[in-house]
Amino acid sequence: MSLPPFQTVLEEHREAVLRFLAASIGRQEADDVFQETFLAALRAYPRLQRGDNLRGWLLKIASRKAIDAHRARKRAPVPAEHVDPGAAPSNGNLPDEALWQAVRALPDRQRTAVVLRFTFDLAYREMGEVMDSSEEAARRNVFEGLKKLREEYR
Amino acid sequence: MTGDLERMLRDIGPVDATAAQERFVRRAIDDGLADVAYAPVDSPLGELVAAVTPRGLVRLAYEDGRGDAVLAELADRVSPRVIEAPARLDDVRRQLDEYFAGRRQAFDLGLDWTLTHGFTRRVLQSTARIPFGELGTYRLVATGAGNAAAVRAAGNALGANPMPIVVPCHRIVRTGGKLGGYTGGVQRKEFLLTLEGTLPR
């Protein structure tokens, strides 16, 4: 099974990866993590056994990199003057920044699951593959995540 | 409420991945991860696709609507780490421009022969030694490759030239002066030989 040129993979999926990252960690950091994701993908690419679900493969890498970025941020809080303008409406923000702040505050697996389910319409089975978990666990993470969002975001 | 929340989660607004992609490509090159870098190159013979590896030029192709097939072959036979990186092709582009403008007779480029093997490679390497302003024959390059009788096979080898123009298969004509065939069509061969002042009459 031969792999397509990496350029094709990049052009086909760059938008999906950037959307996933913007939803998971915010637009400010999404660009850096996009670099990390595609560099890791390019490094591993020649060893990839199958080229039939490249989007899932990229989202798996992106979700791990997003979790790393979250952990790094927790360890080293950004100085106040550099904080993301947050809920203040500006061009750089998502349509409803307060909601996305709440999404980003979810535990790693719930956040990943909620974003994959709604921003990407992934089936639970495919979510399980991306998240290395069972379909059932993916379903539960979406359920718990939504419950928390409903409580916190009104 | 639930429906509302789900609908809002679907809407993250537009993203523009172009800038992110450009930064990625620069980093991929800096980190030495672009095993094959390619770019389109304009020429009087139509658009070309040029590709280099760290060893040098590996492919130069007449685009002719075959760009995707050219890239797929590179991914398959050289490395799937194929990245569009025009800056890596600056030197190739400049030398081709000079050649087509009549200001360059020899290319000063490293060549990566990965896409050729055995007899084909020997025929093409023999062809690469024929200088600007001279012509060779199929028999000459067959002999140069170590098999004087394999004239027809030498023709096939030239037809499989992965680096036309730079490896000058257009300089090979039939004994007696007939032009013979050419990868990109015989009009292109005529154009190149006219440029070099060697078109047989």
Side-chain angles (χ1 to χ4, degrees), chain A residues 1-8 10-11 14-15 18-20 22-23 27 31-32 34-36 38-39 42-47 93-96 99-100 103 114-115 117-119 121 146 149-150 153-154, chain B residues 1-29 31 33-35 38 68 70-76 79-85:
Chain A
M1 156 103 228
S2 61
L3 296 167
F6 194 80
Q7 183 71 24
T8 314
L10 175 63
E11 282 171 12
R14 62 185 185 183
E15 198 135 321
L18 195 56
R19 278 165 58 84
F20 173 82
R27 292 194 172 215
D31 192 272
D32 282 341
F34 178 96
Q35 314 296 321
E36 298 303 322
F38 272 103
L39 286 170
L42 181 56
R43 278 200 183 88
Y45 191 52
R47 296 187 303 276
N93 286 329
L94 298 165
D96 192 331
L99 167 64
W100 292 102
V103 170
V114 164
V115 171
R117 179 69 188 143
F118 296 105
T119 315
D121 265 330
L146 275 184
L149 286 177
R150 259 182 241 118
Y153 176 76
R154 301 174 184 282
Chain B
M1 178 62 206
T2 298
D4 236 27
L5 185 60
E6 293 184 6
R7 186 180 49 71
M8 287 162 73
L9 285 167
R10 286 178 208 282
D11 178 21
I12 69 152
V15 297
D16 177 12
T18 321
Q21 170 169 332
E22 280 169 13
R23 275 186 61 204
F24 160 71
V25 168
R26 279 199 298 277
R27 286 192 56 187
I29 290 167
D31 290 6
L33 294 172
D35 295 344
Y38 75 92
D68 288 346
V70 169
L71 300 182
E73 190 198 19
L74 287 165
D76 224 29
S79 162
R81 288 179 182 147
V82 177
I83 298 283
E84 180 169 6

